[in-house]
Amino acid sequence: MLLIAASPLTVSLAKSRAEGNRLDVAQRVGIALFSTEWPAQVLKVHADGASGSVVVGLVLSGAKFHHPLTKRAFLSEVETLIARTFSADSAIGEVDAWAIIPVPVARGAIVSGSLAIPTSRTVFTVSVLRSESQAALAHRLAIGRNIFWDEDWRRSALKSTP
């Protein structure tokens, strides 16, 4: 487990953005991640565990980046977030990262419960097992294998490489 002296703000963010049945793990991951301002903001950290295995989900904002991102920079950020997540707790066996964007919702629309309409849309996903090396993940991200991109979002949200 990674021990970090965290600021009160980092701890507060980690607690407020933690979800799942392993809040302790989600908060440790949050402390490891929220000490940095990422270009693509980390919105939530989900941690769920069963039978000794923990899966962490990182929800990233696919809109309103802190500064413009290229595809390469976005993937580099995702790779670093995943590495820091695995470093935060040895019980983590898998990290799933996804980026979402808000979906316009009509006034008066039902946004919770069984009749709810979606309020966000997933535009990027990747799943990584602890057994995958960082070099293998970097290669997989670079060639786009076993990841999902919303191509319209990628073209409009991420700047072209200069």
Side-chain angles (χ1 to χ4, degrees), residues 123 148-156:
V123 293
F148 165 75
W149 284 106
D150 178 300
E151 291 297 328
D152 291 335
W153 170 80
R154 185 181 60 78
R155 281 191 293 276
S156 65

Side-chain angles (χ1 to χ4, degrees), residues 15-34:
K15 286 182 178 180
S16 68
R17 296 182 185 187
E19 294 183 349
N21 69 6
R22 289 297 308 270
L23 289 175
D24 59 322
V25 175
Q27 290 175 12
R28 275 194 291 281
V29 170
I31 288 170
L33 300 182
F34 296 132

Side-chain angles (χ1 to χ4, degrees), residues 60-157:
L60 310 176
S61 174
K64 298 182 182 177
F65 299 136
H66 287 126
H67 61 76
L69 280 171
T70 63
K71 176 183 173 185
R72 183 178 300 149
F74 177 79
L75 292 174
S76 178
E77 178 176 332
V78 167
E79 184 182 337
T80 302
L81 287 167
I82 290 168
R84 282 199 191 179
T85 298
F86 279 126
S87 295
D89 195 301
S90 61
I92 299 169
E94 178 179 335
V95 177
D96 303 325
W98 62 96
I100 61 172
I101 59 172
V103 173
V105 176
R107 186 177 191 100
I110 298 171
V111 295
S112 64
S114 60
L115 300 176
I117 61 168
T119 59
S120 65
R121 183 166 56 94
T122 301
V123 293
F124 170 86
T125 62
V126 63
S127 294
V128 184
L129 298 175
R130 180 178 285 279
S131 59
E132 184 172 14
S133 72
Q134 193 158 354
L137 173 60
H139 177 71
R140 184 160 65 96
L141 291 171
I143 65 171
R145 188 175 61 223
N146 295 328
I147 64 173
F148 165 75
W149 284 106
D150 178 300
E151 291 297 328
D152 291 335
W153 170 80
R154 185 181 60 78
R155 281 191 293 276
S156 65

